[in-house]
Amino acid sequence: MPSQTPPTEPTSRPRLSPRVRRQVDRVTGQPILLFPEGVLKLNSAGNAIVDRLDGRTVDEIIADLEAQFPAADIRTDVITFLKRLHYRSLLATSSSSAMPAVQTPTGAMPTALGRHVALANNTHPPTYRPMGLLAELTYTCPLHCPYCSNPTQYPAGRSELSTDQWRGVIKEAVDMGVLHVLFSGGEPLGRKDLAELVACAREAGAYTNLITSAVGLTEARATSLAAAGLDSVQISFQAHEATLADDIAGTKAHELKRTAAAVVKAARLPLTINVVIHRRNVDSIAEIIGLAEEMGAERLELANVQFYGWAFQNQMALLPTHEQLTRAERISAEARERLRGRMEVHYILPDYFGDRPKPCMNGWGRRYLTVNPVGDVLPCPTASSIPNLNAENIRDRSLTEIWTNSQAFNRFRGTEWMPEPCQSCDLRDVDFGGCRCQSALLTGDAAATDPACSLSPFRDRLTSIVDAAQTPSSMPGYVYRANPAN
C-alpha cells in the first residue's frame, strides 16, 4: 500500500502512482493521465505540475513555479491539484515503489495557474469517439459464475479470431482514438498469445488492462505479461473466504486467486480487485474490503450485480434486499473515506434499486466498443441479447466502418430514437436513455424507456421483480454459467 502521508505536506515528495501513465492524446493533442478504466485531461498548468512530480518536495514544486509566476496564487492551486489526484489514489510518495511519469511536452504555461488547474480544458473529444475497447478474447472460462455477463447463447458458426486478426483490431482501434484496451473473456489467460496482444496494444499507445479470474496466472505468466507492457490487472473474487467463494464460482478457485494476487504484486503490477455483490455475499462486504486491503489492492470495485446474461436467469437467487443494500452502501462509503489516497473504493448501485438509469457505457456508441471472440463488434458486451441488432463482423468490414456506419451502432445514438418521456426529459443527454439491453430484457423492446427510470411506463415490471425478492420463501439454486460447446 502507498504511504498514508498526505501528499500536500510541505516535505512530502509526491509522485504519480505506478498505475498512472501520462501521454499525449493523439486525437486532441492534449496531455492526459491514463489509469485503470480512467482518463484525466491535463491543461498546460496541470501538466507543468505533473512535470515536477519527480522527487521534489511540495514546497520545492511551489517555489519553482512561484519564481516563474510571482503574480499567481501558486500554492493554493498546487495544493488543490495534488488533493484531487490524491482523492483518486493517483499519487504515491517517496516511500512507495513509484515509477517516473512518461514525459510529454508541457506546452506554454499560463500567466496564472488559475482555480481549475486540475483537469479543466475546453478541448473535447468528438461526439462519437471510441475511448475504450473491450477485447473479449475467448468465452471459455474455468469459472461458472451465475452472474456472468457473457451471453447465454454463444455465437456459433465462426472460430475465435486469430492473433493477426486481433492485432489488426487493436491497431485500428487505437488509430480511431481508443485509449484503453481491456483484455477480457471468458478467461483471457486461455489465449496463449495474450502477451503478444498486450505488447501490440502497448506499442500502439493504449493503456492495457487484464480482466481475469486469475486461474492460471503463474509467476512466469505474470512476468511475461509485465515484460509485454501490461499496465494493470483486475482479479475477480466471489467472496472473502473459500467455502462461499468456491460455491458461487462453481469450482475451487479462491485460494488460487489469493496466490495470483500475490504474484501480481510481486511482478509490481497495479492490482484491482473486483467483487460482484449479490444476496449471498453482500452481508460480508466489510470482510471483502478487508481482503482487498490485505492483498494490497490499489483499487476495489464493489459492483452490485447487473441483470444481463446469466444473471438475468438467476435474478431471484441474486437479488439482495433493501436492508442489505443500505448497510452495504454505508460500509463502503465509510471505507472509501478511510482508505482515500491508499485504495480507491468504488461501490456501484444496481440499476434495479435506483430511480434514474445510469448512462450505460457513457451512451450507446459514444465511447466504448466490444469485439467478441468471433469478431462481432458490439456497442456493449451484452448487446447480443437485443433481437435483430445485426452486429457486423471485423472479418467482413473494417472496425472504423462498423463504428461509423453500422446499423447496430447508429440504432440508439443521439436522442432522436427516444420515446416519451425520454424525448422531453432534461436528462436525456445525461443518462442517454439508460440501458438498451435492460429495456429489451424487461419489456421486449430495446427502444422502450429503461424501467430503471421511475418515469418509465414499464417501471412496474422492474419493481415487481424486486418486491418478489424481498421475502422469498426459499432461495432458488443457481443456474451456473456453461462454457461454449466445442
Side-chain angles (χ1 to χ4, degrees):
M1 277 289 179
S3 167
Q4 297 185 52
T5 304
T8 54
E9 290 296 313
T11 57
S12 293
R13 299 179 183 272
R15 295 177 181 267
L16 289 180
S17 164
R19 68 195 189 110
V20 181
R21 179 145 59 87
R22 182 171 55 147
Q23 64 187 48
V24 171
D25 183 350
R26 67 170 65 193
V27 173
T28 64
Q30 183 175 20
I32 54 176
L33 298 181
L34 297 175
F35 48 94
E37 299 188 41
V39 54
L40 296 181
K41 297 182 291 184
L42 293 169
N43 63 12
S44 55
N47 200 39
I49 296 173
V50 172
D51 271 337
R52 289 158 175 80
L53 302 181
D54 55 6
R56 286 179 250 194
T57 68
V58 171
D59 270 355
E60 288 170 342
I61 294 170
I62 292 170
D64 184 30
L65 291 171
E66 284 180 333
Q68 297 180 57
F69 307 102
D73 186 1
I74 301 297
R75 179 171 294 275
T76 297
D77 292 327
V78 170
I79 297 301
T80 299
F81 181 82
L82 293 176
K83 282 182 177 179
R84 291 178 181 176
L85 294 185
H86 176 63
Y87 288 165
R88 299 294 300 273
S89 300
L90 302 181
L91 288 180
T93 62
S94 56
S95 61
S96 306
S97 56
M99 296 186 290
V102 176
Q103 293 302 307
T104 61
T106 62
M109 282 284 290
T111 56
L113 291 180
R115 287 290 177 268
H116 304 290
V117 64
L119 306 170
N121 197 284
N122 293 324
T123 303
H124 299 286
T127 302
Y128 304 127
R129 174 254 176 105
M131 300 181 76
L133 165 67
L134 181 65
E136 294 184 321
L137 301 183
T138 179
Y139 279 144
T140 301
C141 183
L143 307 187
H144 306 282
C145 304
Y147 47 73
C148 182
S149 62
N150 282 174
T152 56
Q153 299 296 320
Y154 296 107
R158 277 178 153 161
S159 60
E160 289 184 357
L161 296 180
S162 68
T163 304
D164 285 343
Q165 286 170 325
W166 271 118
R167 281 193 182 120
V169 168
I170 291 166
K171 290 177 180 176
E172 186 175 1
V174 175
D175 285 343
M176 292 164 62
V178 160
L179 299 171
H180 284 262
V181 176
L182 298 93
F183 293 99
S184 181
E187 177 46 66
L189 290 168
R191 293 278 302 216
K192 295 181 179 179
D193 58 358
L194 178 59
E196 295 177 62
L197 299 179
V198 167
C200 173
R202 182 61 185 263
E203 289 166 8
Y207 191 97
T208 55
N209 306 261
L210 174 62
I211 302 173
T212 176
S213 72
V215 176
L217 186 56
T218 62
E219 181 179 353
R221 200 80 191 273
T223 300
S224 171
L225 290 168
L230 185 64
D231 286 301
S232 70
V233 178
Q234 175 181 303
I235 298 179
S236 66
F237 275 79
Q238 283 63 44
H240 72 288
E241 55 86 21
T243 301
L244 177 57
D246 292 344
D247 183 58
I248 294 169
T251 189
K252 290 187 176 181
H254 184 75
E255 293 305 323
L256 294 175
K257 291 169 177 284
R258 288 183 63 103
T259 299
V263 165
V264 170
K265 297 299 292 185
R268 299 171 68 84
L269 288 166
L271 174 64
T272 294
I273 299 299
N274 173 277
V275 185
V276 175
I277 302 298
H278 50 85
R279 179 183 288 270
R280 290 283 304 281
N281 64 11
V282 66
D283 292 328
S284 302
I285 199 164
E287 291 81 2
I288 289 169
I289 294 167
L291 176 67
E293 288 185 79
E294 175 192 332
M295 292 187 295
E298 287 85 10
R299 188 169 185 263
L300 171 63
E301 293 182 355
L302 301 168
N304 277 284
V305 65
Q306 306 290 353
F307 293 98
Y308 316 108
W310 295 90
F312 193 73
Q313 292 197 14
N314 287 288
Q315 284 176 330
M316 290 300 106
L318 295 171
L319 271 164
T321 65
H322 289 290
E323 291 76 16
Q324 285 179 313
L325 282 181
T326 298
R327 178 177 178 271
E329 192 166 10
R330 173 180 57 79
I331 291 173
S332 62
E334 291 170 353
R336 184 165 52 249
E337 290 304 313
R338 176 173 61 83
L339 297 169
R340 193 180 292 280
R342 291 192 290 138
M343 183 170 73
E344 191 176 8
V345 178
H346 288 270
Y347 178 84
I348 303 168
L349 184 73
D351 285 354
Y352 280 29
F353 291 84
D355 290 328
R356 302 294 308 185
K358 295 184 180 69
C360 187
M361 307 303 291
N362 285 95
W364 182 275
R366 289 174 59 91
R367 293 288 176 263
Y368 294 95
L369 55 84
T370 296
V371 179
N372 74 11
V374 302
D376 294 333
V377 186
L378 299 162
C380 79
T382 59
S384 60
S385 64
I386 296 177
N388 304 315
L389 186 67
N390 300 323
E392 297 191 46
N393 195 283
I394 62 98
R395 291 179 170 101
D396 306 319
R397 204 175 184 193
S398 75
L399 196 64
T400 303
E401 290 175 320
I402 295 172
W403 171 266
T404 306
N405 300 317
S406 70
Q407 181 265 355
F409 276 85
N410 282 307
R411 185 169 172 185
F412 301 113
R413 271 181 172 151
T415 60
E416 291 183 2
W417 61 271
M418 291 181 177
E420 295 292 352
C422 295
Q423 188 60 242
S424 301
C425 181
D426 291 339
L427 297 178
R428 64 183 180 277
D429 291 314
V430 176
D431 59 34
F432 305 109
C435 179
R436 297 304 91 220
C437 301
Q438 190 158 262
S439 297
L441 287 168
L442 291 175
T443 75
D445 180 4
T449 299
D450 187 345
C453 180
S454 60
L455 302 177
S456 172
F458 305 99
R459 177 71 171 181
D460 61 336
R461 301 193 185 186
L462 185 150
T463 55
S464 63
I465 295 171
V466 173
D467 290 345
Q470 296 305 300
T471 55
S473 56
S474 63
M475 184 179 296
Y478 291 142
V479 178
Y480 283 102
R481 175 201 185 279
N483 276 314
N486 293 326

